Amino acid sequence: MNTQAAIIPRQLHVGLIGAGIGRSLTPALHMREGEHCGLSYRYDLIDLDVRGLSVSALPDLVNEAQAQGFAGLNITHPCKQSAVALMDELSADAQTLRSINTVVFQRGRRIGHNTDWWGFAESFRRGLAGVSLDHVVQLGAGGAGVAVAHALAEMGARSIEIFDLDPLRSKALVDQLQPAHGACTFSVGRDLATALDAADGLVHATPTGMAAHPGLPLNAQLLSDRLWVAEIVYFPIETELVTLAKKKGCRVLDGGGMAVFQAVKAFELFTGIRPTAERMMHHFDSLRSMI
């Protein structure tokens, strides 16, 4: 009697370290795509808040994951900068950004990557194709802001004016990224109204608009229909800024694409398999509709 041996799927174990990550859609995105790719894909949430831990526990958590045979880890707030010192090697982009969101365990070594910038860039290319990047105004100079500004420069932005509630943080971003991008001029913003009058588009990279931080990040009167607007917040997907920009007639990019495409690149780094981005985007949309 002929029998055919059962095909045992390749097993993969990864996780996400961060604080307050219970509602993250990343595990579901990875595991569903893993299933489509014939993998037995386990994705754990390692929530500092749930465990009663602080960032100081990060070295132990990374050690534990590596010892347990994880293929890698995603890293999110508030651990992205602290994780850099725990790596054996950094990708070129991670070196520039001094922040990582993906760790690959490979032959006993830890390799740190940043897929946030690529996720924003890929979403932007698809959602705002053809817009001018001559002069961009960006709100926010935190970790996400650095990744987004790097992405804009990589896409060919000629001038990026950075605004933050803390001008010193804006200056730190400029000082960090300017040496890596000779073709783009970074500057600390002084007057938002004047900057937007001369701008082609606006990028928002602060927590304002999230469920826990509702509101608009700027005076509504400053938006006009000649500006494109890119948002990185995706909880909710329709932030007050996105709603306002649509009403004004702006071309608008919501934060969902960045969330999906950073996961697309992380999946590829973990597995060595290029996932189907459109399938992951469709799954993301279905998950959002249930929240």
Side-chain angles (χ1 to χ4, degrees):
M1 181 176 65
N2 292 329
T3 60
Q4 185 168 344
I7 297 174
I8 301 175
R10 173 183 160 203
Q11 296 185 346
L12 206 76
H13 190 183
V14 299
L16 170 65
I17 298 178
I21 55 178
R23 296 182 67 195
S24 173
L25 302 182
T26 300
L29 283 177
H30 277 257
M31 289 190 291
R32 172 71 67 83
E33 189 61 20
E35 181 181 349
H36 280 293
C37 294
L39 303 175
S40 175
Y41 200 110
R42 175 179 167 184
Y43 194 116
D44 294 345
L45 287 180
I46 305 168
D47 194 324
L48 299 181
D49 290 350
V50 171
R51 298 193 182 196
L53 301 173
S54 68
V55 179
S56 64
L58 184 61
D60 290 337
L61 294 174
V62 174
N63 287 341
E64 181 181 313
Q66 188 172 19
Q68 291 179 0
F70 279 50
L73 291 164
N74 281 136
I75 306 289
T76 191
H77 178 80
C79 302
K80 292 182 180 183
Q81 286 78 33
S82 299
V84 169
L86 305 177
M87 298 297 105
D88 298 304
E89 182 182 338
L90 295 173
S91 69
D93 295 298
Q95 289 180 39
T96 298
L97 296 171
R98 304 172 200 164
S99 171
I100 62 174
N101 74 327
T102 303
V103 180
V104 177
F105 297 125
Q106 196 171 79
R107 295 186 291 276
R109 291 174 60 79
R110 303 166 177 181
I111 305 171
H113 301 264
N114 189 302
T115 71
D116 285 331
W117 81 269
W118 186 89
F120 177 82
E122 191 64 18
S123 175
F124 194 100
R125 291 186 188 104
R126 294 175 180 234
L128 288 175
V131 300
S132 174
L133 289 170
D134 283 349
H135 184 189
V136 180
V137 169
Q138 178 175 310
L139 306 182
V146 175
V148 166
H150 175 67
L152 290 166
E154 286 289 312
M155 288 188 289
R158 296 177 59 189
S159 170
I160 305 175
E161 199 166 354
I162 307 294
F163 288 82
D164 194 276
L165 293 177
D166 181 356
L168 291 178
R169 195 154 68 160
S170 295
K171 184 178 185 305
L173 184 154
V174 171
D175 292 344
Q176 179 178 343
L177 292 185
Q178 189 63 78
H181 296 287
C184 179
T185 300
F186 295 86
S187 62
V188 177
R190 304 297 180 189
D191 181 85
L192 184 57
T194 300
L196 287 174
D197 278 344
D200 298 300
L202 170 71
V203 177
H204 176 237
T206 85
T208 303
M210 295 175 67
H213 304 279
L216 284 169
L218 78 170
N219 187 317
Q221 301 305 313
L222 297 181
L223 276 188
S224 71
D225 61 3
R226 59 178 192 76
L227 293 168
W228 53 259
V229 175
E231 171 72 274
I232 72 164
V233 173
Y234 71 94
F235 262 128
I237 200 75
E238 188 86 7
T239 62
E240 291 184 45
L241 176 62
V242 166
T243 299
L244 173 66
K246 287 180 178 179
K247 287 181 179 177
K248 294 270 189 174
C250 305
R251 286 189 65 181
V252 181
L253 180 71
D254 65 43
M258 180 179 179
V260 173
F261 285 107
Q262 66 79 24
V264 166
K265 182 58 71 173
F267 183 97
E268 183 175 351
L269 289 169
F270 289 147
T271 66
I273 298 170
R274 181 170 295 178
T276 302
E278 289 71 20
R279 185 165 58 207
M280 291 181 74
M281 182 67 80
H282 179 74
H283 186 207
F284 176 82
D285 290 339
S286 68
L287 290 169
R288 279 197 304 105
S289 67
M290 295 186 291
I291 295 176

